[in-house]
Amino acid sequence: MDLTLIYLIIFFLSFTLFTFYSKKAGEFSFFSPFFLFPLIYFIYSFAGLLYFYENQEDIFGNSFGFNIGLEYFITCILGLLGFYIGFFWVIKSKVIVKVIPSVNPVTFKYIIFFYILISVLVNPTGIFSQFDLSDIKSYGEVAFDSRLEYRNNKEFALVEIFFQTTPIFLLIYSCLEQFKKSKSLLKIIYIIPCALLIVHSFLSGTRAVFVSYFLFIFFYLYFTTNIFKSINFIKAVFLIVGFFWVYVIINIIPIVRSASDFSQMITLFESFYNQYGFSFLKLQNSSELQTSINLQKLQHEIINNGFEFTYGVNLLNDFLVFIPRIFYDNRPLPTSELFASVFYKDVYSQGGGMGMFVLIDGYWSFGNLGVLITSIFFSAFIAVLYRSILVKINSNPTSIFIFVTYFQAFIVSAVRGGMILSLRSFFLGIFIFYFLAIMSKNLVFTKVN
């Protein structure tokens, strides 16, 4: 029995009812977890259900038992129920915690400058390479080496986060600030670095980086200008078209990212299009959305092949991954790598992990009961965090960084990256912003006459 229509109806009814409830409670926003997280969760889970009834196998051609369709359906419904229970509790309780650190906006801009300068001195190759369009390595060329380096080099991840990713976002923020204040001709100077970063991320095939740049620029404009404060029909159409093209681009990137030359990318896309047409835009064919198939693989191994639950060990391991390997060399594998090492050994041997659908954390631990419990706690946590960040979003420059980090970790990436690892991504992402905020309060810059 094909359950896709039933799942679609259940989601539509629950989503509509909860949206009306959150709007009545004064909690509605297009970018809130109450609205956007269930929608993204549905897109991923529904894509998996469509894929199952079309293929009944994983992306490597390994067949699933037909009973997995029903189990996957039940699990996804329980996950949706758990998320709504957590959201409902937060709306009723009105809980808020202190998330945004206080900051001295005058000294903060100097702190940003010196941090970017230090990062350039520490990691010049890593930073300048993101702006160099003349020597771009494609994703296909560097993916294997970078995965192994990440796994084998204790300092690699920390250096990349603290002295490449973070300073680049601080630079984007500084450019956008100056762009807003400058006159017409000077605006071009400040927009060039942002344009170079976006083009580089596309040509190199780093899909997650491309999306993160897009989100940062969008939310900066959303929170600091009046462009999107009032949404009329024209702006609504613009946003819909804009997000549609983002969806198109992130599904084109996997097709063409074995090359970094634009003409070669066009050739690769033409070859794919001539053979498959626009099939890459179907939900069930989107490589971005296929992480939910990994849940089906896990369910097949447990139900049909007698594989055992971990009874919480995978959750504990994912928390231990919070400890940098420079301090804990033999820490356990995160769930994404553990999954690959157990079920896809060839992928793991090449340095890869597997995208972790958000329900895998709970299901691998305690089955459907684990899914319900972890979904409740996770949704409650991200809802409290969202409300707490939003309180100071307009009064504190660090709040924009923290909100974008939150949005990237929990709204965009958690459904395909797992619950616990999205927490790690968030806390690592905001660490430097907290550090810089504290410094801005304790350092005083004076002009020398």
Side-chain angles (χ1 to χ4, degrees):
M1 180 183 176
D2 191 328
L3 298 167
T4 52
L5 180 59
I6 297 174
Y7 187 60
L8 179 63
I9 293 171
I10 291 174
F11 172 78
F12 177 77
L13 291 175
S14 61
F15 181 74
T16 303
L17 289 172
F18 194 83
T19 299
F20 277 116
Y21 170 74
S22 63
K23 188 174 180 63
K24 185 177 179 181
E27 298 281 356
F28 178 80
S29 167
F30 285 112
F31 304 115
S32 76
F34 307 117
F35 176 81
L36 205 52
F37 183 85
L39 190 60
I40 293 176
Y41 167 78
F42 166 74
I43 291 172
Y44 275 85
S45 57
F46 190 63
L49 200 59
L50 289 171
Y51 185 92
F52 175 83
Y53 285 111
E54 189 173 293
N55 301 280
Q56 280 187 245
E57 59 185 27
D58 65 14
I59 57 175
F60 299 103
N62 302 307
S63 299
F64 296 147
F66 193 76
N67 58 329
I68 298 306
L70 177 60
E71 178 70 5
Y72 176 81
F73 169 82
I74 293 171
T75 303
C76 289
I77 293 297
L78 288 173
L80 185 64
L81 175 62
F83 293 135
Y84 278 137
I85 290 174
F87 289 151
F88 179 79
W89 176 80
V90 171
I91 290 177
K92 293 290 289 184
S93 65
K94 303 291 184 182
V95 176
I96 289 180
V97 296
K98 184 178 179 180
V99 178
I100 306 297
S102 57
V103 62
N104 184 332
V106 177
T107 57
F108 187 67
K109 60 183 179 181
Y110 296 105
I111 296 291
I112 288 177
F113 172 78
F114 283 114
Y115 184 77
I116 293 173
L117 182 61
I118 292 170
S119 299
V120 170
L121 295 174
V122 172
N123 187 27
T125 303
I127 290 180
F128 288 124
S129 65
Q130 303 304 302
F131 299 90
D132 186 2
L133 302 186
S134 64
D135 185 29
I136 300 176
K137 296 289 190 296
S138 72
Y139 180 85
E141 294 176 288
V142 303
F144 176 74
D145 292 335
S146 63
R147 286 169 180 169
L148 289 181
E149 186 172 8
Y150 179 84
R151 185 178 294 171
N152 298 325
N153 188 330
K154 299 176 185 177
E155 298 85 14
F156 180 76
L158 293 179
V159 170
E160 185 178 50
I161 293 170
F162 294 151
F163 298 109
Q164 181 174 315
T165 305
T166 300
I168 283 177
F169 278 107
L170 289 170
L171 179 62
I172 294 174
Y173 172 81
S174 301
C175 287
L176 292 173
E177 282 282 283
Q178 295 303 316
F179 175 84
K180 194 168 61 173
K181 299 173 184 176
S182 302
K183 296 184 179 179
S184 55
L185 291 177
L186 287 175
K187 288 182 182 293
I188 298 174
I189 296 175
Y190 295 112
I191 208 66
I192 286 174
C194 300
L196 287 173
L197 288 167
I198 291 171
V199 172
H200 186 282
S201 64
F202 175 78
L203 293 178
S204 62
T206 48
R207 182 168 52 188
V209 176
F210 174 84
V211 172
S212 65
Y213 291 156
F214 171 83
L215 288 175
F216 188 90
I217 294 171
F218 173 81
F219 281 118
Y220 174 87
L221 295 174
Y222 182 81
F223 288 119
T224 64
T225 70
N226 294 320
I227 296 176
F228 300 111
K229 291 300 181 184
S230 59
I231 304 294
N232 55 31
F233 177 76
I234 294 175
K235 289 181 181 179
V237 171
F238 174 80
L239 286 173
I240 292 170
V241 172
F243 281 105
F244 169 76
W245 277 108
V246 170
Y247 174 79
V248 171
I249 290 170
I250 63 176
N251 283 292
I252 288 177
I253 287 176
I255 298 171
V256 302
R257 65 181 175 181
S258 60
S260 58
D261 180 77
F262 191 66
S263 61
Q264 293 177 2
M265 285 181 161
I266 293 175
T267 301
L268 287 171
F269 180 75
E270 286 180 343
S271 176
F272 181 92
Y273 176 77
N274 290 335
Q275 187 171 359
Y276 301 106
F278 288 109
S279 61
F280 69 97
L281 293 178
K282 292 181 178 180
L283 291 179
Q284 62 267 40
N285 293 337
S286 170
S287 62
E288 171 63 25
L289 302 178
Q290 287 177 348
T291 54
S292 55
I293 301 168
N294 292 329
L295 174 59
Q296 298 170 18
K297 172 68 173 178
L298 178 64
Q299 291 174 323
H300 172 73
E301 295 295 335
I302 290 174
I303 294 173
N304 296 333
N305 293 336
F307 199 82
E308 294 185 354
F309 295 115
T310 67
Y311 299 104
V313 172
N314 66 302
L315 296 176
L316 176 62
N317 289 348
D318 278 346
F319 278 112
L320 292 175
V321 173
F322 278 56
I323 305 172
R325 276 186 304 171
I326 193 171
F327 303 118
Y328 185 9
D329 190 21
N330 295 318
R331 73 185 188 189
L333 293 176
T335 300
S336 58
E337 292 185 27
L338 178 64
F339 184 91
S341 69
V342 172
F343 300 119
Y344 298 111
K345 289 182 171 57
D346 289 342
V347 174
Y348 180 75
S349 66
Q350 296 176 20
M354 301 296 290
M356 285 293 94
F357 186 51
V358 67
L359 303 184
I360 287 180
D361 294 299
Y363 192 90
W364 204 348
S365 290
F366 301 104
N368 284 327
L369 177 61
V371 167
L372 182 62
I373 294 172
T374 55
S375 298
I376 292 172
F377 280 100
F378 181 74
S379 60
F381 176 82
I382 67 172
V384 170
L385 205 56
Y386 167 79
R387 179 189 282 156
S388 303
I389 293 171
L390 211 62
V391 169
K392 290 192 174 182
I393 196 69
N394 292 316
S395 62
N396 191 322
T398 58
S399 65
I400 297 175
F401 292 109
I402 292 174
F403 181 84
V404 173
T405 305
Y406 165 89
F407 195 89
Q408 177 76 12
F410 297 122
I411 307 300
V412 175
S413 301
V415 175
R416 70 177 307 278
M419 295 180 183
I420 311 301
L421 293 184
S422 67
L423 295 176
R424 177 178 180 269
S425 175
F426 173 73
F427 287 117
L428 272 178
I430 68 172
F431 176 81
I432 287 297
F433 300 134
Y434 265 83
F435 175 72
L436 298 181
I438 293 170
M439 287 186 66
S440 75
K441 293 288 290 182
N442 292 280
L443 293 179
V444 178
F445 293 89
T446 57
K447 292 183 179 180
V448 178
N449 295 323

